[in-house]
Amino acid sequence: MAAPTRDQVLSLLAAANNHGDLAVKTSSLKQAKDLLLSIDPSLAADLFPYLLELQSSPESLVRKLLIQIIEEIGFKAAEQSPTLISVLLTFLRDNDEIVVKQSIVSGTNIFCSIFEELIVQFQQYGKVERWLEDIWVWMLKFKDAVFGIALEPGSVGIKLLALKFLEMFVLLFSSDFNDAEKLAAKGIRQAVNVSWLVGHPHPVLDPVVLMSDANRTIGILLNLLQSVGSLPGCLTIAVVNW
């Protein structure tokens, strides 16, 4: 990468981290993202540690934007992807609701993409790359954390997004689920479902474990349905609509 381009990215990230004007911070971060997307993945990866310094930014909008950027560029440099994705877990414990919400939304999208990539990569090449396995490990940790959020007292808005994650999990890992329209509405291709794994041994994905987790998740949702009288209105609607 030409020195001016690297220097430009570093300058923009420094502005996003240190400038006193929030508008300048967010604008600089967006410009840095565009540059990171435009350069060679291996060279962009060298700059990711500077990008991740923004996770301690005092500005919640900067932290939210960082999550969105991680979702967008997370797979650009495969070997660095697990480090980027792991930040989502940190942001699930953020003290600002908008940051936690964005972490769940982006994490849900990444979870679906990783599951799809695990299947497609093995279909096409007969193997799964190590970096993808590492991301899946982080995604399972993310799943456990979001499940905890769904069941614990807390913000209604955050719990609603956690419930949507539970629904997505059931759609992905219930082998008898074949509602194509609902899958499409959730952004999930019908072909990308745990049923594909039945009879097709996979080096990373265990269909028995995944379907067992899906059944347990259905049980959680049913328990929530039985207690709808004690849930806030929008959570009741979300559970009933499921």
Side-chain angles (χ1 to χ4, degrees):
M1 177 172 59
T5 304
R6 176 185 174 85
D7 290 344
Q8 187 177 3
V9 174
L10 291 174
S11 176
L12 289 167
L13 291 176
N17 206 12
N18 302 316
H19 202 281
D21 189 323
L22 179 58
V24 174
K25 285 175 178 281
T26 56
S27 175
S28 298
L29 186 50
K30 290 175 182 177
Q31 292 178 63
K33 177 204 69 175
D34 291 339
L35 284 177
L36 288 170
L37 287 170
S38 70
I39 61 179
D40 183 85
S42 62
L43 299 176
D46 292 337
L47 296 168
F48 285 169
Y50 301 98
L51 176 68
L52 291 181
E53 289 179 3
L54 293 170
Q55 64 183 299
S56 59
S57 170
E59 302 289 352
S60 58
L61 288 178
V62 171
R63 300 196 302 276
K64 177 185 177 183
L65 182 56
L66 174 60
I67 296 170
Q68 294 171 327
I69 292 173
I70 287 174
E71 178 184 351
E72 189 168 349
I73 72 172
F75 305 145
K76 184 171 175 61
E79 293 183 359
Q80 295 292 327
S81 294
T83 301
L84 291 176
I85 302 303
S86 68
V87 173
L88 295 176
L89 271 175
T90 301
F91 282 133
L92 286 178
R93 301 187 297 272
D94 198 273
N95 57 12
D96 195 300
E97 183 171 329
I98 68 166
V99 177
V100 179
K101 285 182 176 180
Q102 187 61 55
S103 186
I104 296 176
V105 170
S106 293
T108 300
N109 295 336
I110 293 171
F111 192 99
C112 292
S113 297
I114 290 297
F115 178 65
E116 178 178 340
E117 183 64 23
L118 281 166
I119 290 180
V120 171
Q121 193 173 101
F122 188 63
Q123 277 183 317
Q124 293 181 346
Y125 306 109
K127 64 179 182 179
V128 173
E129 293 180 275
R130 179 58 183 270
W131 67 269
L132 197 56
E133 291 187 48
D134 291 342
I135 293 181
W136 183 243
V137 171
W138 280 109
M139 284 289 92
L140 292 178
K141 293 178 180 179
F142 177 86
K143 179 262 295 183
D144 291 340
V146 175
F147 273 39
I149 290 173
L151 298 175
E152 296 170 358
S155 160
V156 171
I158 291 174
K159 287 175 69 67
L160 185 59
L161 289 174
L163 284 175
K164 290 182 180 296
F165 180 87
L166 265 64
E167 179 187 12
M168 176 277 300
F169 191 85
V170 171
L171 296 181
L172 282 179
F173 301 125
S174 293
S175 61
D176 57 349
F177 191 88
N178 57 8
D179 188 334
E181 290 187 4
K182 193 163 188 178
L183 285 166
K186 300 297 178 182
I188 303 170
R189 294 209 312 250
Q190 187 176 15
V192 184
N193 176 272
V194 75
S195 59
W196 183 90
L197 296 172
V198 177
H200 298 80
H202 193 281
V204 178
L205 302 171
D206 185 335
V208 175
V209 172
L210 294 173
M211 287 187 284
S212 175
D213 282 349
N215 289 334
R216 181 171 63 87
T217 305
I218 292 173
I220 292 172
L221 290 168
L222 290 175
N223 287 337
L224 288 172
L225 185 60
Q226 292 173 352
S227 61
V228 291
S230 63
L231 295 175
C234 58
L235 289 182
T236 299
I237 293 171
V239 174
V240 171
N241 283 344
W242 174 82

